[in-house]
Amino acid sequence: MKRLAVVGGNAAGMSAAAVARRRDPSLDVLVLERGVHASYSSCGIPYLVGGTVGGADRLIARSPEDLRRAGIDVRTGCEVTRIDLRGRTLTYRDGGARTERREGFDELVYATGAVAIAPPVPGAESVEAVRTLDAAERLVARLTRARGRTAVVIGAGYLGLEMAEALASRGLEVALVDRERQVMSSLDADMAGHVQAAAEGAGIRVMLGVDVREIAGGPDGGPRVVRTTADDLHADHVVVSTGARPATELAAAAGLELGRTGGLRVDDHQRCAGHEGVYAAGDCAESRHRLLPHPVNVQLGTHANKQGRVAGTNATGGDVAFPGVIGTAISRICRHEVARTGLSETEAAAVDLPVVAATIEDSTRARYYPGAGPIWVKVVAHAETGRLLGGQIVGVEGAAKRIDVLATAVWTGMSAGELELIDLGYAPPFAGVYDPLLIAARQAAHRVRAPAPRTAPRRTRD
């Protein structure tokens, strides 16, 4: 019987396993997952910590038992320690049995995700990153057992902000620390300022341009003081959210090729270069960016699930290509929704793309309609052609899903002028007669059309 082995049992891995099993019911599908859980929503972790989601089981899409009943041999608590591509075998450590075992395979999908990057400071090793459901359950248990009053979150990206809000919602005094000068580096600074204001409005102390020097433990060995270049922060709880890197050590040791991002190099069929029948998908792999001249490593569940489906399809004889990414992401930070797609002005400048940008402030609904609130929309377009390259949205409830329209426009190569006149729905509960997205597109299009200002001739002396 032919066997497909999958290393990693979350978004990409389980998508690959499920589609492969559906396509070929006779296929032996083995999934090895080092954690306690498989097939769960990592994106829901902040809402579990904050109490919005009542119980870890709510985040589990399918239990290992459900998956086994569907014909997928899922083994949790099993960490793969070696991959022999030539011999087509996997060696793994079974945590439950405390033994090392070996399994053969015909096709392989590598889907190990990403691992947290700890800040290079003394004491960081004592703090567990809350990136897995297992870790989230442990944090919730600590919060419940030793409630405390204070918390420090290190790192002001998406996850750091979401975790800061989750802890604040539990009644803790929260400090959010980052060495960068703005929150959410994936946004331009002008839009990030609105996010920072929302966090501060929720009572979170935002400390930017501040380095962490040490995480000092208390008498029981737990973190108690975070020493920074600005202040010593006493903390009953510390959460580190300083980014993540592709988990590729095992793959590299097996001879698989890494790209410039540290992720595995794959083609558009998720095949690993130079190794027949070996695929990689999800946070551990690189993706083609549709607007940039180089691959990227974008760690999002949307891409992981799609890439897993592509890998599982092609591993069972299919012919499906993953079309690339443009970096669309969405979140809710305190009272604001936040979204972005395509390139920011900063990203465009890094690859010498000439752009124009327009930022507008408007209302999420008709201004006279109850519940209307502020929305800021930024549109980025090519300075010469007007082609839409990206945009960002921050606002109250009802703001952020407009990013899907902008993402579609960027994906298909529309210009700002075309978006300005596109036929969108209108009713006072949802927008003004001109949607804020159309207003921003109009301003961007006007800047593309505007002639370059003339330079006054230099006067010369007679």
Side-chain angles (χ1 to χ4, degrees), residues 76-79 92-101:
T76 56
C78 294
E79 181 178 3
Y92 71 96
R93 187 181 299 114
D94 186 335
R98 296 185 178 180
T99 58
E100 197 164 75
R101 300 180 178 181

Side-chain angles (χ1 to χ4, degrees), residues 227-440:
R227 306 191 191 283
T228 77
T229 51
D231 202 356
D232 285 353
L233 305 172
H234 294 267
D236 297 303
H237 304 281
V238 177
V239 173
V240 173
S241 183
T242 47
R245 58 175 176 79
T248 53
E249 292 87 352
L250 182 65
L256 296 179
E257 185 178 355
L258 305 185
R260 67 192 297 272
T261 68
L264 284 162
R265 286 192 63 187
V266 293
D267 64 11
D268 63 355
H269 280 50
Q270 302 303 133
R271 295 176 293 217
C272 293
H275 295 277
E276 186 69 26
V278 179
Y279 303 82
D283 294 356
C284 64
E286 291 188 330
S287 300
R288 178 178 74 87
H289 199 291
R290 294 170 66 93
L291 300 172
L292 292 173
H294 51 74
V296 294
N297 176 241
V298 178
Q299 298 171 11
L300 288 173
T302 51
H303 306 321
N305 277 281
K306 293 169 189 173
Q307 290 176 349
R309 289 181 61 85
V310 169
T313 299
N314 294 331
T316 50
D319 182 16
V320 179
F322 181 69
V325 302
I326 57 173
T328 306
I330 190 169
S331 185
R332 189 193 68 191
I333 308 298
C334 301
R335 69 183 294 266
H336 280 355
E337 298 176 348
V338 186
R340 56 99 62 206
T341 192
L343 303 182
S344 65
E345 280 193 280
T346 304
E347 290 168 329
V351 292
D352 297 323
L353 270 176
V355 298
V356 295
T359 304
I360 63 103
E361 179 181 1
D362 201 16
S363 175
T364 52
R365 304 176 178 183
R367 294 184 183 275
Y368 56 81
Y369 194 88
I375 178 174
W376 294 269
V377 179
K378 182 170 189 174
V379 169
V380 179
H382 195 283
E384 297 167 2
T385 66
R387 178 183 174 176
L388 289 163
L389 297 176
Q392 299 151 50
I393 298 174
V394 178
V396 299
E397 184 178 358
K401 283 297 281 182
R402 286 174 166 89
I403 203 69
D404 289 340
V405 173
L406 185 53
T408 302
V410 171
W411 184 275
T412 57
M414 289 178 62
S415 70
E418 289 174 313
L419 180 59
E420 171 193 353
L421 297 174
I422 197 170
D423 185 5
L424 299 183
Y426 158 68
F430 307 105
V433 67
Y434 267 97
D435 189 90
L437 188 58
L438 304 186
I439 298 172

